[in-house]
Amino acid sequence: MAKLISKTYGDALFDLAMEENRPDELWQESEDVLRALTENPDFSSLMSHPGVTGEEKLQVVETVFRGRVSDTMTGFLLLVTEKDRFGELPAILRYFIDRVKEEKRIGVAYVTTAASLDQNGREKVEKRLLETTSYEKMEMHFAVDETLIGGMVIRIGDRVVDSSVRTKIEELKRQLTHIQLKSERCV
């Protein structure tokens, strides 16, 4: 249900951004609002508190955001608050940001390796991803997981390419177990 809510509202904000020809501005404002929510968890607690009326929540949003973000973003935040979906706002904004990135053909890649890559290695991975995808630019996120033993795992959206040694060993174990089970049945 939460995914449907973030998609519905995120698509509405995206359509509005495209209609007004302001995707970059609303993308930046979405990043700013997300950062403000992350840095101020008490604000989210206030906005979800059952003792605060809907009218009071609308007034808080108006007071906090009016003049700090565009009227379009303020209006959107008021709508989300009025529909009692403020708790879903981070997911909504993340969905919207992802839609804008897709529209601009910016891929977001999460690359996990067994050992840290130097700058040259990172650039090679990014270059290869740009060559093998339809993206014009990549936003790269690198992490280290020593349990991979070697190789790497790359995730872009819901696609995962796992060329880690750990996964290859696990696959080999499954194949050997399968062969062993077949052999035992033949005896």
Side-chain angles (χ1 to χ4, degrees):
M1 180 70 167
K3 191 168 187 161
L4 178 62
I5 292 168
S6 62
K7 179 181 178 353
T8 301
Y9 284 88
D11 283 340
L13 182 58
F14 178 80
D15 291 344
L16 183 61
M18 298 308 286
E19 185 179 301
E20 293 184 357
N21 198 26
R22 297 173 49 212
D24 292 334
E25 179 184 340
L26 291 174
W27 172 10
Q28 183 57 55
E29 288 183 348
S30 294
E31 296 274 4
D32 294 343
V33 171
L34 272 173
R35 188 172 28 265
L37 293 175
T38 302
E39 292 172 358
N40 300 290
D42 291 342
F43 182 76
S44 294
S45 296
L46 171 71
M47 294 302 290
S48 63
H49 194 281
V52 180
T53 68
E55 192 61 40
E56 290 170 325
K57 290 176 185 179
L58 289 170
Q59 186 59 48
V60 168
V61 169
E62 183 77 35
T63 302
V64 170
F65 292 103
R66 181 73 66 194
R68 290 181 178 85
V69 295
S70 67
D71 288 346
T72 301
M73 180 59 77
T74 302
F76 181 75
L77 296 173
L78 289 168
L79 173 71
V80 169
T81 304
E82 182 180 324
K83 299 293 183 182
D84 200 25
R85 299 292 188 198
F86 197 87
E88 300 296 325
L89 187 59
I92 293 167
L93 294 176
R94 279 191 292 274
Y95 178 88
F96 166 74
I97 291 166
D98 289 345
R99 278 285 315 267
V100 173
K101 287 179 183 178
E102 278 295 320
E103 179 69 21
K104 294 181 150 302
R105 297 181 56 186
I106 300 171
V108 180
Y110 296 88
V111 179
T112 306
T113 55
S116 183
L117 294 175
D118 63 13
Q119 187 61 33
N120 185 40
R122 290 174 180 231
E123 289 171 2
K124 284 181 181 178
V125 171
E126 181 176 4
K127 182 176 187 260
R128 183 70 178 135
L129 289 176
L130 287 170
E131 291 170 353
T132 58
T133 64
S134 62
Y135 297 112
E136 295 175 356
K137 185 177 177 188
M138 294 300 291
E139 182 180 300
M140 304 295 293
H141 300 273
F142 291 93
V144 174
D145 179 357
E146 294 173 358
T147 66
L148 294 181
I149 303 170
M152 66 180 65
V153 177
I154 302 171
R155 183 174 62 82
I156 301 174
D158 59 359
R159 295 173 294 181
V160 176
V161 176
D162 187 341
S163 64
S164 67
V165 173
R166 177 182 67 195
T167 298
K168 290 177 182 177
I169 290 172
E170 289 171 2
E171 179 59 31
L172 186 58
K173 282 181 186 176
R174 281 192 291 278
Q175 289 174 1
L176 290 173
T177 303
H178 183 70
I179 291 170
Q180 185 178 8
L181 290 174
K182 277 187 173 180
S183 300
E184 290 175 0
R185 282 189 243 153
C186 292
V187 175

